[in-house]
Amino acid sequence: MECLVCNRNMFYIFSKDYVNSAFYSMMADIKIVDYYKCENCGFTISKTHSDMDYKRWAKLNYDFHHFLENNGASINQPPYLAQAVMIKVLTQNGIIDGFSILDYAGGYGTLSLILKKYFNFNLPVYDPYVQRQNSIDYIQKKDLEKYQTVFNSALFEHLLDRTSFDEINSLVCDGGAMIIHSVICEQIPKDPNWFYLDPPVHTTFHTNKSMNILMKQWGYKSSIYCLSAKSWILLKRNDLEIKRKCEQINAEFQAQYLIYQEGFVDYWK
């Protein structure tokens, strides 16, 4: 098996048994999931999911999304309020563009609703599995275009192939930014009971090294990490003015709110 990030060899590390999981009913026909890890960058993937046919994968995503809608408190959800504040701070300071922005795979639009209600900010949403007609501006796939800022929350761990990753990046304009909320750490724990494996639609897991490689392949020069929002802002420019703005914001908040770095901010060691 070849790594989606660096094309090096991947090897088997462990399997996870969903028999006693809260998600057993969704995984009843699968039960055991096998994970493989890259020998070079540490990127880890579920081979079981990557071998799954599209209809089975789509059904699993549909079942999981609707489970979250009705049982959201049962698992660890993204820090939506902190993400909304982060987007407002970044746009207010000209670090990202808030007029050409998209929430890619934004689900039921929780973040968009918070931004609209409390910050008077419009965040259009695209989601391949959820489309709801309400106050949220939902974008159809055929209407997707290039954006200065593409946000994705709890998405990078759901993808199965390199094409899916590249499709997101293809929506970012030259000189633009991609914002990622995910768990990215130095090493993926060799533990089938690791909390991030529990959701049955979590399939790919990134390390600091694999993300640094991926962002360079895509042409991103620098990044910012926002701890409260648990999100990385990848920038297609290395701009000392942005670094200065981050330092100014930190001084205003009297906290290490934004961490700027050339390459990928490897915050979680």
Side-chain angles (χ1 to χ4, degrees):
M1 190 173 186
E2 191 175 87
C3 178
L4 304 183
V5 176
C6 67
N7 303 120
R8 295 281 289 273
N9 184 55
M10 303 190 80
F11 58 92
Y12 170 82
I13 49 172
F14 58 75
S15 298
K16 180 175 178 64
D17 186 344
Y18 275 88
V19 170
N20 296 317
S21 168
F23 303 107
Y24 171 72
S25 61
M26 298 180 201
M27 301 290 286
D29 60 336
I30 300 170
K31 297 185 181 68
I32 305 295
V33 177
D34 299 326
Y35 296 91
Y36 281 66
K37 180 178 180 178
C38 176
E39 64 183 7
N40 175 49
C41 70
F43 173 81
T44 299
I45 189 169
S46 160
K47 187 175 186 301
T48 302
H49 286 82
S50 63
D51 290 341
M52 198 177 289
D53 66 74
Y54 176 77
K55 286 186 177 180
R56 181 65 185 87
W57 174 237
K59 183 180 185 305
L60 184 58
N61 276 273
Y62 178 87
D63 292 345
F64 183 75
H65 274 91
H66 287 272
F67 172 85
L68 286 189
E69 182 71 0
N70 296 312
N71 304 276
S74 299
I75 69 168
N76 187 28
Q77 288 286 71
Y80 291 116
L81 177 57
Q83 290 174 348
V85 172
M86 174 192 69
I87 289 174
K88 187 63 176 178
V89 169
L90 293 172
T91 56
Q92 188 74 22
N93 287 275
I95 295 174
I96 63 170
D97 189 321
F99 295 98
S100 174
I101 188 169
L102 176 74
D103 186 355
Y104 189 96
Y108 289 95
T110 301
L111 178 61
S112 183
L113 288 169
I114 292 170
L115 280 164
K116 184 181 291 288
K117 180 175 181 178
Y118 294 102
F119 298 95
N120 193 31
F121 186 99
N122 184 49
L123 176 63
V125 174
Y126 164 73
D127 193 280
Y129 300 106
V130 180
Q131 294 180 9
R132 176 184 290 176
Q133 299 299 321
N134 56 15
S135 60
I136 297 173
D137 181 11
Y138 271 96
I139 306 295
Q140 301 295 314
K141 186 176 180 65
K142 64 181 177 61
D143 297 322
L144 290 173
E145 53 189 40
K146 293 276 189 176
Y147 302 87
Q148 286 293 333
T149 306
V150 175
F151 179 87
N152 62 81
S153 183
L155 172 64
F156 265 37
E157 62 272 26
H158 292 254
L159 304 180
L160 293 173
D161 52 56
R162 181 57 187 259
T163 300
S164 298
F165 287 103
D166 290 339
E167 182 178 288
I168 302 167
N169 179 61
S170 70
L171 299 176
V172 182
C173 292
D174 292 340
M178 181 192 294
I179 304 177
I180 299 168
H181 163 72
S182 188
V183 170
I184 302 170
C185 49
E186 190 70 12
Q187 296 285 341
I188 305 303
K190 192 176 180 180
D191 179 8
N193 294 315
W194 184 40
F195 82 101
Y196 220 52
L197 299 177
D198 285 345
V201 290
H202 283 190
T203 59
T204 49
F205 308 92
H206 297 265
T207 65
N208 291 323
K209 184 175 182 179
S210 70
M211 278 304 306
N212 193 50
I213 292 171
L214 189 60
M215 68 176 284
K216 286 182 178 179
Q217 291 173 350
W218 284 339
Y220 294 93
K221 305 298 183 184
S222 60
S223 61
I224 301 168
Y225 183 60
C226 180
L227 179 59
S228 62
K230 292 184 170 58
S231 299
W232 283 266
I233 303 94
L234 310 185
L235 303 164
K236 290 194 172 182
R237 60 196 187 280
N238 184 18
D239 192 336
L240 291 179
E241 178 63 17
I242 292 180
K243 181 180 181 182
R244 186 194 65 78
K245 287 181 178 180
C246 290
E247 291 171 347
Q248 182 179 13
I249 292 167
N250 290 344
E252 290 172 350
F253 292 172
Q254 298 185 38
Q256 193 179 40
Y257 182 69
L258 299 174
I259 302 169
Y260 176 90
Q261 181 175 304
E262 290 185 32
F264 183 71
V265 180
D266 52 348
Y267 183 85
W268 297 102
K269 298 291 192 179

